[in-house]
Amino acid sequence: MRIVLLGAPGSGKGTQCKSIVERYGLLHLSSGDILRKERAAGSDLGKKAQSYMDSGALVPDEIIIEMMANAIGKVPDTGFILDGFPRTVNQAAELDKSLNHSGQTIDIILNLDVNDSIILDRITGRRSCPQCGAVYHVRNLKPKNTGLCDNDGIELVQRPDDTPEVVANRLETYHEQTEPLVDYYKNKGTVFDIDANRSADEVKNEVFEMLDSLVIT
Ligand code: AP5
């Protein structure tokens, strides 16, 4: 199974991917996570991406396309779920081209549909573990001990791009450059729209129901 997960910043892509990979055994490829690892490692790629990420702009296509082609090229037969990539129509077209080259296609496109009005609260309340990457929320998904990761007890941190100003830019970028992808994929086939304004568990249950029906049939 090869899945693309679309959705605005804070729509719950990372949260849902965690549940999907646990149930279906897919590899989770998050372009944002890969970029943050590159930054933490101080690589050239990380340095090039830094200013774009911190301002809420997209990292240029040529950097991202090469980075994700490398990551996808290493995926075993289990399949994958893409989170945060593609994010422009050009990225999607390049992804299609490179998959076609090896006789593959994207099988399922999920679109997490969420109102802008709830995104700010979700993103500014997000806290994550710098060690294992686990994601929490100060109200919706609290760790057992305030401020500490349930998995390893490490102090949780806030992403530097999770401030109200940068979130506003990220949302604008999403509407201008990423939302057109929904039509791009709708023109090619089915896109499964999921109402992601509901609780994470409600969203997960609908996603599972839908994926189960596709995997079984
Ligand atoms: P990236 O890391 O991909 O960020 P994003 O798309 O903005 O998405 P987020 O990670 O903020 O949100 P999410 O949808 O995963 O939500 P989450 O599950 O964490 O990208 C960062 C930057 O990297 C970009 O701005 C860009 O610069 C660059 N970049 C990345 N990919 C690129 C590309 N392809 N091209 C160019 N540049 C690229 O949930 C958020 C919070 O809400 C959490 O606290 C969670 O607990 C909570 N929550 C989740 N679901 C629910 C729910 N249903 N109800 C209540 N709370 C919920």
Side-chain angles (χ1 to χ4, degrees):
M1 210 172 8
R2 288 177 289 273
I3 304 178
V4 165
L5 184 60
L6 299 174
S11 56
K13 299 184 296 298
T15 302
Q16 296 303 325
C17 277
K18 185 171 178 292
S19 307
I20 293 169
V21 301
E22 275 168 16
R23 186 175 174 96
Y24 301 97
L26 305 173
L27 196 73
H28 177 201
L29 291 178
S30 156
S31 48
D33 286 350
I34 297 173
L35 288 167
R36 280 183 286 279
K37 278 191 192 133
E38 293 286 343
R39 284 182 65 167
S43 72
D44 283 348
L45 171 57
K47 284 177 191 148
K48 279 185 200 155
Q50 186 163 332
S51 63
Y52 299 100
M53 296 174 78
D54 288 348
S55 67
L58 293 185
V59 176
D61 278 355
E62 61 273 20
I63 297 178
I64 291 292
I65 289 165
E66 189 186 344
M67 179 186 92
M68 293 308 289
N70 285 337
I72 291 169
K74 291 179 192 147
V75 175
D77 287 345
T78 47
F80 56 73
I81 179 159
L82 296 178
D83 162 5
F85 176 84
R87 227 174 172 105
T88 63
V89 170
N90 182 39
Q91 290 180 14
E94 289 298 323
L95 172 65
D96 284 344
K97 248 196 258 170
S98 96
L99 288 176
N100 287 345
H101 212 65
S102 48
Q104 298 179 327
T105 50
I106 294 296
D107 304 308
I108 299 167
I109 292 120
L110 299 175
N111 178 37
L112 298 182
D113 199 5
V114 70
N115 298 332
D116 283 7
S117 55
I118 63 172
I119 282 177
L120 185 65
D121 173 68
R122 282 200 191 168
I123 297 191
T124 54
R126 170 170 48 197
R127 300 291 182 273
S128 46
C129 175
Q131 183 143 300
C132 72
V135 173
Y136 302 86
H137 189 278
V138 291
R139 281 176 301 282
N140 305 335
L141 187 62
K142 296 180 183 177
K144 290 189 190 99
N145 298 308
T146 308
L148 300 179
C149 180
D150 291 350
N151 299 332
D152 46 34
I154 298 282
E155 195 169 340
L156 302 176
V157 296
Q158 193 171 18
R159 269 170 47 179
D161 59 343
D162 279 354
T163 62
E165 299 73 26
V166 181
V167 172
N169 291 342
R170 285 162 61 194
L171 263 180
E172 202 180 316
T173 304
Y174 168 77
H175 288 303
E176 278 175 8
Q177 299 187 59
T178 306
E179 212 165 32
L181 270 183
V182 177
D183 280 341
Y184 171 88
Y185 280 122
K186 280 189 176 161
N187 287 334
K188 293 172 82 71
T190 315
V191 173
F192 295 93
D193 288 315
I194 310 280
D195 175 3
N197 295 293
R198 299 166 295 166
S199 75
D201 273 348
E202 287 173 298
V203 175
K204 178 184 79 179
N205 290 339
E206 185 180 340
V207 169
F208 282 3
E209 217 173 279
M210 203 269 305
L211 289 179
D212 283 352
S213 72
L214 292 172
V215 171
I216 290 161
T217 52

Short mmCIF file of all heavy atoms in Angstrom, two decimals, residues 88-153:
data_model
loop_
_atom_site.label_atom_id
_atom_site.label_comp_id
_atom_site.label_asym_id
_atom_site.label_seq_id
_atom_site.Cartn_x
_atom_site.Cartn_y
_atom_site.Cartn_z
N THR A 88 3.49 20.60 -3.40
CA THR A 88 3.20 21.48 -4.55
C THR A 88 2.82 20.55 -5.70
O THR A 88 3.17 19.35 -5.69
CB THR A 88 4.44 22.30 -4.99
OG1 THR A 88 5.45 21.38 -5.42
CG2 THR A 88 4.97 23.18 -3.87
N VAL A 89 2.13 21.12 -6.70
CA VAL A 89 1.75 20.31 -7.85
C VAL A 89 3.00 19.79 -8.55
O VAL A 89 3.05 18.63 -9.00
CB VAL A 89 0.84 21.12 -8.81
CG1 VAL A 89 0.63 20.40 -10.12
CG2 VAL A 89 -0.51 21.41 -8.13
N ASN A 90 4.04 20.60 -8.60
CA ASN A 90 5.30 20.17 -9.22
C ASN A 90 5.89 18.96 -8.47
O ASN A 90 6.34 17.99 -9.09
CB ASN A 90 6.28 21.35 -9.23
CG ASN A 90 7.58 21.00 -9.91
OD1 ASN A 90 7.59 20.29 -10.91
ND2 ASN A 90 8.68 21.48 -9.36
N GLN A 91 5.87 19.01 -7.14
CA GLN A 91 6.38 17.86 -6.36
C GLN A 91 5.57 16.61 -6.67
O GLN A 91 6.10 15.51 -6.80
CB GLN A 91 6.32 18.15 -4.85
CG GLN A 91 7.32 19.20 -4.38
CD GLN A 91 7.24 19.47 -2.88
OE1 GLN A 91 6.64 18.72 -2.12
NE2 GLN A 91 7.86 20.55 -2.44
N ALA A 92 4.24 16.77 -6.78
CA ALA A 92 3.36 15.60 -7.04
C ALA A 92 3.67 15.01 -8.41
O ALA A 92 3.73 13.79 -8.57
CB ALA A 92 1.90 16.02 -6.94
N ALA A 93 3.86 15.89 -9.40
CA ALA A 93 4.13 15.40 -10.76
C ALA A 93 5.47 14.66 -10.79
O ALA A 93 5.60 13.61 -11.42
CB ALA A 93 4.13 16.58 -11.73
N GLU A 94 6.47 15.19 -10.07
CA GLU A 94 7.78 14.52 -10.03
C GLU A 94 7.69 13.18 -9.30
O GLU A 94 8.33 12.21 -9.68
CB GLU A 94 8.82 15.43 -9.35
CG GLU A 94 9.22 16.63 -10.17
CD GLU A 94 9.88 16.25 -11.50
OE1 GLU A 94 10.63 15.26 -11.54
OE2 GLU A 94 9.63 16.93 -12.51
N LEU A 95 6.87 13.15 -8.25
CA LEU A 95 6.68 11.89 -7.52
C LEU A 95 6.06 10.85 -8.45
O LEU A 95 6.52 9.70 -8.52
CB LEU A 95 5.78 12.12 -6.29
CG LEU A 95 5.33 10.87 -5.55
CD1 LEU A 95 6.52 10.14 -4.91
CD2 LEU A 95 4.30 11.21 -4.46
N ASP A 96 4.99 11.25 -9.17
CA ASP A 96 4.35 10.32 -10.10
C ASP A 96 5.35 9.79 -11.12
O ASP A 96 5.40 8.59 -11.40
CB ASP A 96 3.21 11.04 -10.86
CG ASP A 96 1.98 11.21 -9.98
OD1 ASP A 96 1.90 10.53 -8.94
OD2 ASP A 96 1.11 12.02 -10.33
N LYS A 97 6.15 10.72 -11.65
CA LYS A 97 7.13 10.33 -12.68
C LYS A 97 8.09 9.29 -12.13
O LYS A 97 8.36 8.27 -12.76
CB LYS A 97 7.94 11.57 -13.11
CG LYS A 97 7.66 12.02 -14.53
CD LYS A 97 8.75 12.96 -15.00
CE LYS A 97 8.30 14.40 -14.96
NZ LYS A 97 9.35 15.37 -15.18
N SER A 98 8.62 9.56 -10.92
CA SER A 98 9.64 8.65 -10.42
C SER A 98 9.03 7.31 -10.01
O SER A 98 9.66 6.27 -10.18
CB SER A 98 10.47 9.31 -9.31
OG SER A 98 10.00 8.99 -8.06
N LEU A 99 7.78 7.30 -9.52
CA LEU A 99 7.15 6.01 -9.21
C LEU A 99 6.85 5.23 -10.49
O LEU A 99 7.06 4.02 -10.57
CB LEU A 99 5.85 6.23 -8.42
CG LEU A 99 5.99 6.68 -6.95
CD1 LEU A 99 4.63 6.95 -6.34
CD2 LEU A 99 6.75 5.65 -6.12
N ASN A 100 6.33 5.94 -11.51
CA ASN A 100 6.02 5.28 -12.79
C ASN A 100 7.24 4.59 -13.36
O ASN A 100 7.15 3.52 -13.94
CB ASN A 100 5.52 6.31 -13.83
CG ASN A 100 4.11 6.76 -13.50
OD1 ASN A 100 3.44 6.13 -12.69
ND2 ASN A 100 3.67 7.86 -14.11
N HIS A 101 8.37 5.22 -13.16
CA HIS A 101 9.63 4.70 -13.64
C HIS A 101 9.87 3.28 -13.13
O HIS A 101 10.42 2.45 -13.82
CB HIS A 101 10.74 5.63 -13.14
CG HIS A 101 11.89 5.73 -14.07
ND1 HIS A 101 11.77 6.28 -15.31
CD2 HIS A 101 13.18 5.34 -13.93
CE1 HIS A 101 12.94 6.22 -15.90
NE2 HIS A 101 13.81 5.66 -15.09
N SER A 102 9.47 3.05 -11.87
CA SER A 102 9.67 1.71 -11.30
C SER A 102 8.36 0.92 -11.27
O SER A 102 8.19 0.00 -10.46
CB SER A 102 10.29 1.81 -9.90
OG SER A 102 9.59 2.76 -9.14
N GLY A 103 7.40 1.30 -12.14
CA GLY A 103 6.15 0.54 -12.27
C GLY A 103 5.23 0.66 -11.07
O GLY A 103 4.41 -0.21 -10.81
N GLN A 104 5.36 1.76 -10.30
CA GLN A 104 4.53 1.92 -9.09
C GLN A 104 3.60 3.12 -9.24
O GLN A 104 3.82 3.98 -10.09
CB GLN A 104 5.43 2.15 -7.88
CG GLN A 104 6.37 0.99 -7.59
CD GLN A 104 7.26 1.28 -6.39
OE1 GLN A 104 7.64 2.42 -6.15
NE2 GLN A 104 7.60 0.25 -5.67
N THR A 105 2.58 3.14 -8.39
CA THR A 105 1.70 4.31 -8.33
C THR A 105 1.32 4.56 -6.87
O THR A 105 1.54 3.70 -6.02
CB THR A 105 0.36 4.08 -9.09
OG1 THR A 105 -0.18 2.84 -8.63
CG2 THR A 105 0.52 4.09 -10.59
N ILE A 106 0.74 5.73 -6.62
CA ILE A 106 0.13 5.98 -5.31
C ILE A 106 -1.23 5.29 -5.33
O ILE A 106 -2.02 5.46 -6.26
CB ILE A 106 -0.02 7.50 -5.07
CG1 ILE A 106 1.35 8.18 -4.98
CG2 ILE A 106 -0.85 7.78 -3.82
CD1 ILE A 106 2.21 7.75 -3.80
N ASP A 107 -1.52 4.48 -4.30
CA ASP A 107 -2.78 3.71 -4.29
C ASP A 107 -3.92 4.50 -3.65
O ASP A 107 -5.06 4.38 -4.06
CB ASP A 107 -2.59 2.40 -3.48
CG ASP A 107 -1.43 1.59 -4.03
OD1 ASP A 107 -1.42 1.35 -5.25
OD2 ASP A 107 -0.53 1.22 -3.24
N ILE A 108 -3.60 5.25 -2.59
CA ILE A 108 -4.67 5.87 -1.79
C ILE A 108 -4.26 7.29 -1.42
O ILE A 108 -3.12 7.52 -0.98
CB ILE A 108 -4.92 5.08 -0.49
CG1 ILE A 108 -5.36 3.65 -0.83
CG2 ILE A 108 -5.97 5.76 0.39
CD1 ILE A 108 -5.34 2.70 0.35
N ILE A 109 -5.18 8.22 -1.61
CA ILE A 109 -4.92 9.60 -1.16
C ILE A 109 -5.96 9.96 -0.10
O ILE A 109 -7.17 9.91 -0.36
CB ILE A 109 -4.98 10.59 -2.34
CG1 ILE A 109 -3.80 10.32 -3.27
CG2 ILE A 109 -4.87 12.03 -1.86
CD1 ILE A 109 -4.18 9.96 -4.62
N LEU A 110 -5.47 10.29 1.08
CA LEU A 110 -6.35 10.72 2.17
C LEU A 110 -6.16 12.21 2.37
O LEU A 110 -5.03 12.70 2.39
CB LEU A 110 -5.95 10.03 3.48
CG LEU A 110 -6.02 8.51 3.55
CD1 LEU A 110 -5.46 8.03 4.89
CD2 LEU A 110 -7.45 8.06 3.39
N ASN A 111 -7.26 12.92 2.54
CA ASN A 111 -7.18 14.36 2.75
C ASN A 111 -7.84 14.72 4.08
O ASN A 111 -9.05 14.58 4.24
CB ASN A 111 -7.89 15.08 1.59
CG ASN A 111 -7.88 16.58 1.77
OD1 ASN A 111 -6.89 17.15 2.24
ND2 ASN A 111 -8.97 17.23 1.38
N LEU A 112 -7.02 15.15 5.04
CA LEU A 112 -7.56 15.55 6.35
C LEU A 112 -8.06 16.99 6.24
O LEU A 112 -7.27 17.92 6.08
CB LEU A 112 -6.47 15.46 7.43
CG LEU A 112 -5.89 14.07 7.70
CD1 LEU A 112 -4.87 14.14 8.84
CD2 LEU A 112 -6.99 13.07 8.03
N ASP A 113 -9.38 17.11 6.32
CA ASP A 113 -10.02 18.40 6.08
C ASP A 113 -10.31 19.05 7.43
O ASP A 113 -11.02 18.46 8.26
CB ASP A 113 -11.32 18.09 5.33
CG ASP A 113 -11.86 19.30 4.64
OD1 ASP A 113 -11.19 20.34 4.66
OD2 ASP A 113 -12.98 19.21 4.10
N VAL A 114 -9.74 20.24 7.68
CA VAL A 114 -9.91 20.86 8.99
C VAL A 114 -10.09 22.38 8.83
O VAL A 114 -9.51 22.98 7.92
CB VAL A 114 -8.71 20.49 9.91
CG1 VAL A 114 -7.45 21.14 9.48
CG2 VAL A 114 -8.99 20.80 11.36
N ASN A 115 -10.92 22.97 9.69
CA ASN A 115 -11.14 24.42 9.60
C ASN A 115 -9.94 25.18 10.13
O ASN A 115 -9.39 24.81 11.18
CB ASN A 115 -12.37 24.82 10.43
CG ASN A 115 -13.64 24.17 9.91
OD1 ASN A 115 -13.73 23.86 8.73
ND2 ASN A 115 -14.59 23.93 10.80
N ASP A 116 -9.61 26.29 9.45
CA ASP A 116 -8.48 27.11 9.90
C ASP A 116 -8.64 27.54 11.36
O ASP A 116 -7.66 27.67 12.09
CB ASP A 116 -8.38 28.40 9.05
CG ASP A 116 -7.77 28.12 7.68
OD1 ASP A 116 -7.56 26.94 7.37
OD2 ASP A 116 -7.52 29.10 6.95
N SER A 117 -9.90 27.76 11.79
CA SER A 117 -10.13 28.35 13.11
C SER A 117 -9.61 27.46 14.25
O SER A 117 -9.30 27.98 15.32
CB SER A 117 -11.63 28.61 13.30
OG SER A 117 -12.33 27.42 13.06
N ILE A 118 -9.50 26.16 14.04
CA ILE A 118 -9.02 25.32 15.16
C ILE A 118 -7.53 24.98 15.06
O ILE A 118 -6.94 24.42 15.97
CB ILE A 118 -9.85 24.03 15.35
CG1 ILE A 118 -9.76 23.12 14.13
CG2 ILE A 118 -11.29 24.35 15.67
CD1 ILE A 118 -10.42 21.77 14.40
N ILE A 119 -6.93 25.37 13.94
CA ILE A 119 -5.53 24.98 13.72
C ILE A 119 -4.56 25.67 14.68
O ILE A 119 -3.64 25.05 15.21
CB ILE A 119 -5.16 25.25 12.24
CG1 ILE A 119 -5.76 24.12 11.39
CG2 ILE A 119 -3.66 25.33 12.04
CD1 ILE A 119 -5.55 24.26 9.93
N LEU A 120 -4.79 26.96 14.92
CA LEU A 120 -3.86 27.71 15.77
C LEU A 120 -3.76 27.06 17.15
O LEU A 120 -2.66 26.86 17.69
CB LEU A 120 -4.31 29.16 15.89
CG LEU A 120 -3.36 30.06 16.67
CD1 LEU A 120 -2.02 30.20 15.93
CD2 LEU A 120 -3.97 31.44 16.89
N ASP A 121 -4.91 26.67 17.72
CA ASP A 121 -4.90 26.05 19.05
C ASP A 121 -4.14 24.72 19.02
O ASP A 121 -3.35 24.42 19.91
CB ASP A 121 -6.35 25.83 19.53
CG ASP A 121 -6.36 25.04 20.83
OD1 ASP A 121 -5.90 25.60 21.84
OD2 ASP A 121 -6.77 23.86 20.82
N ARG A 122 -4.39 23.94 17.96
CA ARG A 122 -3.71 22.65 17.89
C ARG A 122 -2.20 22.82 17.80
O ARG A 122 -1.44 22.12 18.47
CB ARG A 122 -4.19 21.88 16.65
CG ARG A 122 -5.55 21.26 16.85
CD ARG A 122 -5.74 20.17 15.84
NE ARG A 122 -7.12 19.72 15.82
CZ ARG A 122 -7.62 18.95 14.89
NH1 ARG A 122 -6.86 18.53 13.90
NH2 ARG A 122 -8.88 18.56 14.94
N ILE A 123 -1.77 23.78 16.97
CA ILE A 123 -0.32 23.88 16.74
C ILE A 123 0.40 24.55 17.91
O ILE A 123 1.47 24.10 18.32
CB ILE A 123 -0.02 24.62 15.42
CG1 ILE A 123 -0.57 23.82 14.25
CG2 ILE A 123 1.49 24.81 15.26
CD1 ILE A 123 -0.13 24.31 12.89
N THR A 124 -0.19 25.61 18.45
CA THR A 124 0.53 26.29 19.53
C THR A 124 0.52 25.45 20.81
O THR A 124 1.36 25.64 21.69
CB THR A 124 -0.04 27.71 19.81
OG1 THR A 124 -1.44 27.59 20.04
CG2 THR A 124 0.22 28.65 18.66
N GLY A 125 -0.43 24.49 20.90
CA GLY A 125 -0.47 23.62 22.08
C GLY A 125 0.34 22.35 21.91
O GLY A 125 0.42 21.53 22.81
N ARG A 126 0.95 22.18 20.75
CA ARG A 126 1.71 20.94 20.50
C ARG A 126 3.04 20.97 21.26
O ARG A 126 3.73 21.98 21.31
CB ARG A 126 1.99 20.80 19.01
CG ARG A 126 2.97 19.67 18.72
CD ARG A 126 3.10 19.33 17.28
NE ARG A 126 3.27 20.48 16.41
CZ ARG A 126 3.08 20.45 15.10
NH1 ARG A 126 2.69 19.33 14.52
NH2 ARG A 126 3.27 21.52 14.38
N ARG A 127 3.39 19.84 21.84
CA ARG A 127 4.71 19.65 22.44
C ARG A 127 5.23 18.31 21.94
O ARG A 127 4.46 17.37 21.78
CB ARG A 127 4.64 19.60 23.98
CG ARG A 127 4.07 20.86 24.62
CD ARG A 127 4.98 22.08 24.51
NE ARG A 127 4.44 23.26 25.18
CZ ARG A 127 3.61 24.13 24.61
NH1 ARG A 127 3.21 23.96 23.36
NH2 ARG A 127 3.15 25.16 25.29
N SER A 128 6.54 18.24 21.67
CA SER A 128 7.06 16.96 21.18
C SER A 128 8.36 16.59 21.87
O SER A 128 9.05 17.43 22.46
CB SER A 128 7.23 17.00 19.67
OG SER A 128 7.85 18.18 19.28
N CYS A 129 8.65 15.30 21.77
CA CYS A 129 9.86 14.79 22.44
C CYS A 129 11.03 14.90 21.47
O CYS A 129 10.99 14.35 20.38
CB CYS A 129 9.65 13.32 22.83
SG CYS A 129 11.16 12.61 23.52
N PRO A 130 12.10 15.61 21.87
CA PRO A 130 13.25 15.77 20.96
C PRO A 130 13.98 14.46 20.74
O PRO A 130 14.75 14.32 19.79
CB PRO A 130 14.14 16.78 21.69
CG PRO A 130 13.73 16.73 23.11
CD PRO A 130 12.30 16.28 23.17
N GLN A 131 13.75 13.48 21.61
CA GLN A 131 14.46 12.21 21.46
C GLN A 131 13.70 11.21 20.58
O GLN A 131 14.21 10.75 19.57
CB GLN A 131 14.71 11.59 22.83
CG GLN A 131 15.52 10.30 22.76
CD GLN A 131 16.48 10.22 23.93
OE1 GLN A 131 17.35 11.06 24.12
NE2 GLN A 131 16.28 9.19 24.73
N CYS A 132 12.44 10.89 20.95
CA CYS A 132 11.73 9.84 20.20
C CYS A 132 10.70 10.41 19.22
O CYS A 132 10.13 9.67 18.43
CB CYS A 132 11.05 8.85 21.15
SG CYS A 132 9.60 9.54 21.99
N GLY A 133 10.46 11.72 19.27
CA GLY A 133 9.53 12.33 18.30
C GLY A 133 8.06 12.23 18.68
O GLY A 133 7.20 12.69 17.92
N ALA A 134 7.75 11.63 19.83
CA ALA A 134 6.34 11.51 20.23
C ALA A 134 5.71 12.90 20.33
O ALA A 134 6.36 13.86 20.76
CB ALA A 134 6.23 10.80 21.57
N VAL A 135 4.43 13.00 19.91
CA VAL A 135 3.75 14.30 19.86
C VAL A 135 2.60 14.33 20.87
O VAL A 135 1.83 13.37 20.98
CB VAL A 135 3.20 14.55 18.43
CG1 VAL A 135 2.34 15.80 18.39
CG2 VAL A 135 4.37 14.69 17.45
N TYR A 136 2.52 15.43 21.61
CA TYR A 136 1.47 15.61 22.62
C TYR A 136 0.78 16.94 22.37
O TYR A 136 1.17 17.71 21.49
CB TYR A 136 2.08 15.63 24.04
CG TYR A 136 2.86 14.37 24.37
CD1 TYR A 136 4.20 14.24 24.01
CD2 TYR A 136 2.24 13.31 25.02
CE1 TYR A 136 4.92 13.09 24.31
CE2 TYR A 136 2.95 12.15 25.32
CZ TYR A 136 4.29 12.05 24.96
OH TYR A 136 4.98 10.91 25.24
N HIS A 137 -0.24 17.22 23.20
CA HIS A 137 -0.89 18.54 23.16
C HIS A 137 -1.19 18.92 24.60
O HIS A 137 -1.59 18.07 25.41
CB HIS A 137 -2.18 18.47 22.34
CG HIS A 137 -2.77 19.82 22.07
ND1 HIS A 137 -3.56 20.47 22.99
CD2 HIS A 137 -2.67 20.64 21.00
CE1 HIS A 137 -3.92 21.64 22.49
NE2 HIS A 137 -3.40 21.77 21.29
N VAL A 138 -1.01 20.21 24.92
CA VAL A 138 -1.14 20.62 26.33
C VAL A 138 -2.54 20.38 26.90
O VAL A 138 -2.70 20.25 28.12
CB VAL A 138 -0.72 22.09 26.55
CG1 VAL A 138 0.77 22.28 26.35
CG2 VAL A 138 -1.50 23.03 25.64
N ARG A 139 -3.55 20.28 26.05
CA ARG A 139 -4.91 19.97 26.54
C ARG A 139 -5.48 18.69 25.95
O ARG A 139 -6.08 17.88 26.64
CB ARG A 139 -5.87 21.12 26.21
CG ARG A 139 -5.76 22.31 27.17
CD ARG A 139 -6.66 23.44 26.76
NE ARG A 139 -6.35 23.92 25.43
CZ ARG A 139 -5.31 24.73 25.14
NH1 ARG A 139 -4.51 25.13 26.11
NH2 ARG A 139 -5.08 25.13 23.91
N ASN A 140 -5.30 18.49 24.61
CA ASN A 140 -5.97 17.37 23.94
C ASN A 140 -5.28 16.03 24.15
O ASN A 140 -5.91 14.98 24.08
CB ASN A 140 -6.02 17.60 22.42
CG ASN A 140 -6.66 18.92 22.07
OD1 ASN A 140 -7.45 19.45 22.84
ND2 ASN A 140 -6.33 19.46 20.91
N LEU A 141 -3.98 16.06 24.35
CA LEU A 141 -3.23 14.79 24.45
C LEU A 141 -2.07 15.00 25.41
O LEU A 141 -0.92 15.18 25.02
CB LEU A 141 -2.72 14.39 23.05
CG LEU A 141 -2.07 13.03 22.92
CD1 LEU A 141 -3.05 11.91 23.25
CD2 LEU A 141 -1.53 12.85 21.51
N LYS A 142 -2.44 14.99 26.73
CA LYS A 142 -1.43 15.32 27.74
C LYS A 142 -0.53 14.12 28.04
O LYS A 142 -1.03 12.99 28.09
CB LYS A 142 -2.13 15.72 29.03
CG LYS A 142 -2.97 16.98 28.93
CD LYS A 142 -3.60 17.24 30.28
CE LYS A 142 -4.51 18.42 30.26
NZ LYS A 142 -5.18 18.65 31.52
N PRO A 143 0.76 14.38 28.30
CA PRO A 143 1.60 13.29 28.79
C PRO A 143 1.20 12.96 30.24
O PRO A 143 0.54 13.77 30.90
CB PRO A 143 3.00 13.90 28.73
CG PRO A 143 2.80 15.37 28.83
CD PRO A 143 1.45 15.67 28.24
N LYS A 144 1.62 11.79 30.72
CA LYS A 144 1.24 11.40 32.10
C LYS A 144 1.82 12.38 33.11
O LYS A 144 1.16 12.79 34.05
CB LYS A 144 1.74 9.98 32.39
CG LYS A 144 0.99 8.92 31.62
CD LYS A 144 1.35 7.51 32.09
CE LYS A 144 0.77 6.47 31.15
NZ LYS A 144 1.75 5.95 30.17
N ASN A 145 3.08 12.78 32.90
CA ASN A 145 3.72 13.78 33.77
C ASN A 145 3.92 15.05 32.95
O ASN A 145 4.59 15.00 31.91
CB ASN A 145 5.08 13.28 34.27
CG ASN A 145 4.94 12.03 35.11
OD1 ASN A 145 4.16 11.99 36.05
ND2 ASN A 145 5.64 10.97 34.72
N THR A 146 3.37 16.15 33.46
CA THR A 146 3.40 17.40 32.69
C THR A 146 4.79 17.73 32.17
O THR A 146 5.76 17.75 32.95
CB THR A 146 2.90 18.57 33.57
OG1 THR A 146 1.66 18.18 34.12
CG2 THR A 146 2.73 19.86 32.77
N GLY A 147 4.87 17.98 30.87
CA GLY A 147 6.13 18.43 30.26
C GLY A 147 7.14 17.33 30.00
O GLY A 147 8.22 17.62 29.48
N LEU A 148 6.80 16.07 30.34
CA LEU A 148 7.79 14.99 30.14
C LEU A 148 7.21 13.90 29.23
O LEU A 148 6.02 13.57 29.31
CB LEU A 148 8.17 14.35 31.47
CG LEU A 148 8.81 15.29 32.51
CD1 LEU A 148 9.11 14.52 33.80
CD2 LEU A 148 10.09 15.93 31.97
N CYS A 149 8.08 13.35 28.37
CA CYS A 149 7.63 12.31 27.43
C CYS A 149 7.30 11.01 28.16
O CYS A 149 8.07 10.57 29.02
CB CYS A 149 8.74 12.07 26.40
SG CYS A 149 8.31 10.79 25.20
N ASP A 150 6.18 10.40 27.81
CA ASP A 150 5.77 9.13 28.42
C ASP A 150 6.77 8.01 28.11
O ASP A 150 6.97 7.09 28.90
CB ASP A 150 4.41 8.67 27.88
CG ASP A 150 3.28 9.56 28.36
OD1 ASP A 150 3.52 10.40 29.26
OD2 ASP A 150 2.16 9.43 27.83
N ASN A 151 7.40 8.07 26.94
CA ASN A 151 8.26 6.97 26.50
C ASN A 151 9.63 6.97 27.18
O ASN A 151 10.14 5.92 27.55
CB ASN A 151 8.50 7.03 24.99
CG ASN A 151 7.20 6.91 24.23
OD1 ASN A 151 6.24 6.31 24.70
ND2 ASN A 151 7.14 7.51 23.05
N ASP A 152 10.22 8.19 27.33
CA ASP A 152 11.60 8.21 27.83
C ASP A 152 11.86 9.26 28.92
O ASP A 152 13.01 9.44 29.33
CB ASP A 152 12.58 8.42 26.65
CG ASP A 152 12.12 9.53 25.72
OD1 ASP A 152 11.53 10.50 26.23
OD2 ASP A 152 12.31 9.42 24.50
N GLY A 153 10.80 9.97 29.36
CA GLY A 153 10.96 10.94 30.45
C GLY A 153 11.70 12.21 30.06
O GLY A 153 12.00 13.06 30.90
#
